[in-house]
Amino acid sequence: MPYAVGLDCVGTGNPIFDGDGDPVLGDYIEISFEQYAAAVSCLISGKHVCVVDGVLVLEYQPAEASEDQP
C-alpha cells in the first residue's frame, strides 16, 4: 500500500528517508492508490501535500505561505 507522512512525503514500499539517510518523522498513514496518484500530481504541479491529524491533505498551504496571500 502507498503511504504518506509529514509535508510532501508520499511513497510505496519502504519508509521515506531524508537527505541525511534518516527516516522522515511523523505518523505514517496508509493511503489508496488513487490518493497516491493525486498526491504525486499535486507535487509535480508545485503544490504541497501534508498529513494533518492522520488525514492526507492535498493542495496544503503551509502557514507562512498563507500569510503572504490576501
Side-chain angles (χ1 to χ4, degrees):
M1 281 304 279
Y3 59 86
V5 62
L7 178 66
D8 294 338
C9 295
V10 294
T12 58
N14 298 321
I16 299 171
F17 294 92
D18 65 15
D20 296 326
D22 297 319
V24 172
L25 300 177
D27 294 331
Y28 282 70
I29 62 166
E30 284 189 5
I31 57 176
S32 69
F33 283 101
E34 291 82 12
Q35 289 173 309
Y36 177 75
V40 170
S41 180
C42 282
L43 295 172
I44 289 171
S45 65
K47 299 174 184 167
H48 295 283
V49 298
C50 189
V51 174
V52 178
D53 295 328
V55 176
L56 177 66
V57 178
L58 301 173
E59 298 187 27
Y60 177 81
Q61 291 189 357
E64 61 272 3
S66 63
E67 291 174 2
D68 295 336
Q69 297 178 1

